[in-house]
Amino acid sequence: MRIRDWLPVAAARLENSESSRRDAEILLSFVTGKGRSWLRAFDETTLDGTQLATLTALIARRAKGEPVAYITGVREFWSLALRVSPVTLIPRPDTEVLVECALEKMDTPQGHALDLGTGTGAIALALASERPGWQVTGVDCIAEAVRLAQHNGKNLAINNVSFLPGHWFSAVGGRRFDLIVTNPPYIDVDDIHLTQGDVRFEPTSALIAADRGLADIRHIALHAAAHLRPDGWLLIEHGWQQADRVRQILFSAGFTSVKTCRDYGGNERVTRGRVAK
């Protein structure tokens, strides 16, 4: 079967996906080892029996809802190819807004940044790749996630980043940073979205937080000042309906210059605050 004939059939099997054609192309690229632009340019190429059998199995997995990133083991974030696994969240485009906001505050040649709940290391690695003069530390309470982040750092040859196991600030002792970023669990346990889409396959420990999704955000805000240098910044990604409450949490924790940034869809997504001198 030719690529041009296979793609519409595969996309039709993924009718419940929000991006059926894209998903099919990514799986096709994974199996053939060819880029998506090549596949489009040479779509008269015939797929052999082994490739078709493998693709049939992968399409079946995707049709059941399994995320493409878990099937291929790879996800691109900030133009970085990251290994992913079911022990971590899948990096999402909206989280790049957190990176953009953080880079605005990393405006000195050197400094130290901390990424809490680093998962795949996506945020830490993006920051370290853009600011080679900074030292970036990523922390996660899941040992396997730390190993995965370390693998990603080594594979990408990003040397100004390190990853540590620990629960929030426990891994860094009395160290202080110029910037702290985090994409913590912020979904309420009763949120209907937990039963939909890719999140059904992602670790609940990285998604769900008590107190209507705000417990971890509040914990981080209350302890961040002790780990920030004077005029240091805390940036938190949160749910699109949580901005008002997150701003109040930062104000109550003593932060100043509190402001929320919007994601690519126009939703309030990242709230930042500066620690008082």
Side-chain angles (χ1 to χ4, degrees), residues 27 30 58 61-62 65-75 83-92 120 148 198-204 206-207:
L27 294 176
F30 176 66
L58 298 186
R61 289 169 63 183
R62 180 56 183 153
E66 186 174 351
V68 172
Y70 287 164
I71 295 173
T72 64
V74 178
R75 178 70 171 228
R83 294 290 301 177
V84 299
S85 84
V87 302
T88 66
L89 288 182
I90 300 168
R92 286 168 168 77
T120 62
L148 182 62
D198 288 357
V199 296
R200 291 174 296 164
F201 293 82
E202 294 180 282
T204 56
L207 294 167

Side-chain angles (χ1 to χ4, degrees), residues 27-46:
L27 294 176
L28 181 61
S29 178
F30 176 66
V31 170
T32 62
K34 303 292 185 180
R36 291 167 66 192
S37 58
W38 187 96
L39 295 171
R40 292 168 183 170
F42 299 97
D43 63 355
E44 77 282 359
T45 302
T46 299

Side-chain angles (χ1 to χ4, degrees), residues 254-277:
F255 285 87
T256 63
S257 304
V258 175
K259 181 181 178 181
T260 300
C261 304
R262 295 183 181 273
D263 62 23
Y264 305 127
N267 300 306
E268 292 187 307
R269 182 63 63 184
V270 175
T271 296
R272 68 193 187 200
R274 183 168 59 188
V275 71
K277 289 187 178 179

